[in-house]
Amino acid sequence: MKFKKALLVVDVQNDFCPGGALGIKDGDKIIPAINKYIKIFASKKFPIFATRDWHPKKTAHFKKFGGLWPVHCVRDIKGAQFHPQLKLPKDAILVYKGMDPKKDSYSAFQAEDEKGLSLLNLLEILGIKELYIAGLATDYCVKFTTHDAISKGFKVKILLDAVKGVNLKPNDSEDAIKEMVKSGAGKITLKTIKEHICH
Ligand code: VGL
Ligand code: ZN
C-alpha cells in the first residue's frame, strides 16, 4: 500500500548548532544529509515541512524562569533563524512552536504555521500518512514528535543519519531511538531511502 509521504525537518536553527545558545555537539554535521533528503523529497514533489523553536523572551521553558534550558531560539533573533547551510526549498511549509510562555512544547504537533493552522491540520489537508523525520534534537523534539505522530495514526520513519541529540545524559539519544522504534517507528538512512520512496 502506498502512503502519501512528507519530510519533516525539525529545529535546524543556529541556537541548536555548535556556537549557539544550546549548541548540540556536531548538530551542524547532519545538515548535508538533510539537504540530500530535501533534494530527494523535492524531486518526488513530496511536501517538506520545517519547524522552528520560537520562544518569547520570557518563558517558563528557560532556566531563569524555572525551566530546564538556557535562553535560546528567542523568536526573530539570529539564534532562532535556520542554520545558513540548510537549503530549504521556497515552498517548504514552515511551522513554529514554543510560543506559550507558560509551558514547554517539544513536539512538532504543538507547532502551527503563521496563520495558526496546526501541523496536524496541514498534514490532513495534504493527505499525508507517513512522516520522515530529520533534525534536532533526537531526545526532545524528534522523540516527542514521533510519539505524537504515531499516536495520531501516522507512520514514522526516523532518518538516522540526519538527527542529533542534546544528551543531557550520555545515552539519551540512543535510548530515544530505541523507544521510538519500540513504538513503531522505522529507521532509514541515505543508503536505504530510495527503496522507500522511489516506487
Ligand atoms: C528543544 C530543547 C529546548 C527541542 C526545544 O525542540 O528539541 N530542545 N527547546
Ligand atoms: Zn526550546
Side-chain angles (χ1 to χ4, degrees), residues 11 16 22 53 55 61 69 72 97 106 136-137 140-141:
D11 294 3
F16 290 125
L22 223 168
D53 207 30
H55 300 306
H61 182 66
W69 307 105
H72 64 280
K97 67 182 172 63
Y106 296 116
L136 306 166
Y140 287 91
C141 193

Side-chain angles (χ1 to χ4, degrees), residues 120-177:
L120 182 62
N121 288 152
L122 294 161
L123 294 170
E124 285 174 350
I125 290 167
L126 293 167
I128 305 299
K129 300 279 190 256
E130 183 163 24
L131 284 175
Y132 287 70
I133 303 181
L136 306 166
T138 314
D139 37 358
Y140 287 91
C141 193
V142 171
K143 180 174 89 173
F144 284 86
T145 302
T146 297
H147 288 310
D148 276 353
I150 290 171
S151 72
K152 289 174 197 305
F154 293 90
K155 287 173 110 8
V156 175
K157 299 279 195 291
I158 305 153
L159 302 174
L160 279 187
D161 43 6
V163 292
K164 267 289 182 264
V166 182
N167 290 325
L168 287 184
K169 291 196 242 86
N171 292 328
D172 281 356
S173 293
E174 234 177 88
D175 292 346
I177 288 172

Side-chain angles (χ1 to χ4, degrees), residues 7 9 28-44 46 48 85-89 132 134 159 161-162 188-194 197-198:
L7 176 64
V9 179
D28 55 338
K29 299 252 172 80
I30 60 172
I31 298 175
I34 295 177
N35 287 335
K36 286 183 189 154
Y37 285 112
I38 288 172
K39 271 199 178 154
I40 295 168
F41 277 74
S43 76
K44 293 273 163 196
F46 291 142
I48 295 164
Q85 281 167 24
L86 181 69
K87 294 197 190 101
L88 285 170
Y132 287 70
L159 302 174
D161 43 6
I188 302 265
T189 62
L190 280 166
K191 285 212 175 82
T192 59
I193 183 77
K194 294 243 157 85
I197 76 160
C198 294

